[in-house]
Amino acid sequence: MEVLHQKIQAILAQYTGRSGIVIINQNTGARLELHPDMVFPAASMIKVPIMIEVMRQAAAGLIDLDETLEITSQVQTGGAGILKELRSGVTMTVRELVTLMIILSDNTATNILIDLVGMNSINATITSLGLRSTVLRRKMMDFEAAKAGKENYTSAADLAHLFASIASSSLALPPTHSALMLDILKRQQVRDKLPFYLPEEIIIAHKTGTLPGAEHDAGILFVPGGSYIICVLTADLAANYEGLQLVANIGKTIYDYIS
């Protein structure tokens, strides 16, 4: 991957800020890593381990994916998503909330799920998975907690491990739950980063994240003959549009290299 490494370095040289990148060829195990253990504000990438904990508790019979929960005005929160726009009293199943949390990065759905499975349980599962830099310390849009220093964090290495585990169904979950997670990730609606320049027919199961000065995207790219784990995290950007361009250009460069 030396040629790819040089091309990505050339892209990074055009932008300000810092970045963490991990690319893994799932067939050969070949890896490209740039600052894999650098810690970043997680933004919505933290929703991937939340989804895993929901599936773990569902598989253990602690919760039911088809249980319905009410969306009240007390839990509706701002930022990304659609639930904040709906009337109070709408009900959604846990399965639907997980789907919205991932494909639309819905913050209301995320906070409801954090309450359902528990922040401590999510962090315990994060630890049990061997993630060294990932932690959930606050709910979505909790600016007071953020001001108090309670930020959510992750790294490209941690996310690469998560997505590789999802791709290989090695999370000690029933096949149905592993397949459900992969299916939801494949239905991602936010496509302004890694898949932006990719052909429409190319499948990528991924999750994005955005904060002021930070743009992230990570997931599993499916190509003829195999798949690649790709994780790109950025922070300290001069402007977010630069992060969008950077990650999109890296996605195109990786795809062109593979092709």
Side-chain angles (χ1 to χ4, degrees), residues 2 33 48-49 74 157-158 181 192 195 202:
E2 184 55 34
E33 298 182 329
V48 178
Q74 286 74 29
D158 280 3
M181 286 196 297
D192 56 358
I202 294 298

Side-chain angles (χ1 to χ4, degrees), residues 6 79 96 148:
Q6 292 173 5
E96 289 167 337

Side-chain angles (χ1 to χ4, degrees), residues 15-246:
Y15 296 93
T16 60
R18 57 193 180 94
S19 58
I21 299 172
V22 174
I23 303 165
I24 306 170
N25 182 328
Q26 288 285 87
N27 282 4
T28 67
R31 301 172 72 98
L32 188 162
E33 298 182 329
L34 293 167
H35 311 297
D37 297 315
M38 184 179 286
V39 178
F40 292 81
S44 290
M45 310 310 289
I46 200 68
K47 295 169 183 176
V48 178
I50 293 171
M51 173 176 65
I52 290 171
E53 176 58 13
V54 171
M55 295 300 164
R56 188 195 70 79
Q57 292 196 18
L62 301 174
I63 61 174
D64 184 350
L65 290 176
D66 295 315
E67 173 190 359
T68 57
L69 300 173
E70 185 177 2
I71 316 302
T72 66
S73 58
Q74 286 74 29
V75 299
Q76 287 171 314
T77 191
I82 192 68
L83 293 181
K84 65 182 180 180
E85 309 294 346
L86 304 184
R87 60 176 174 80
S88 179
V90 169
T91 60
M92 294 271 171
T93 66
V94 174
R95 188 190 309 268
E96 289 167 337
L97 290 170
V98 174
T99 302
L100 291 177
M101 175 176 71
I102 298 300
I103 72 170
L104 292 178
S105 209
D106 196 289
N107 287 330
T108 297
T110 305
N111 287 350
I112 292 171
L113 292 171
I114 291 172
D115 285 338
L116 179 67
V117 300
M119 192 175 293
N120 289 340
S121 294
I122 295 165
N123 282 318
T125 289
I126 286 170
T127 300
S128 73
L129 292 171
L131 308 187
R132 295 182 292 178
S133 305
T134 303
V135 63
L136 173 65
R137 289 184 175 147
R138 65 171 178 85
K139 290 184 179 179
M140 304 304 107
M141 308 304 288
D142 187 346
F143 299 117
E144 290 304 313
K147 287 179 185 176
K150 293 181 179 179
E151 188 53 270
N152 305 322
Y153 291 107
T154 194
S155 68
D158 280 3
L159 290 170
H161 178 70
L162 276 187
F163 279 103
S165 298
I166 292 171
S168 62
S169 300
S170 59
L171 287 168
L173 290 171
T176 52
H177 293 71
S178 295
L180 176 58
M181 286 196 297
L182 193 57
D183 176 63
I184 291 171
L185 288 162
K186 286 179 180 178
R187 291 189 273 142
Q188 177 62 249
Q189 300 296 299
V190 185
R191 297 179 59 86
D192 56 358
K193 280 171 259 193
L194 282 177
F196 187 75
Y197 292 115
L198 271 54
E200 197 66 33
E201 67 272 14
I202 294 298
I203 297 172
I204 178 168
H206 67 121
K207 181 75 193 77
T208 64
T210 299
L211 282 172
E215 294 288 350
H216 310 323
D217 202 349
I220 310 156
L221 176 66
F222 295 90
V223 292
S227 62
Y228 284 73
I229 304 298
I230 305 172
C231 302
V232 182
L233 306 183
T234 68
D236 304 331
L237 300 165
N240 277 70
Y241 76 84
E242 290 190 355
L244 294 174
Q245 293 173 350
L246 188 159

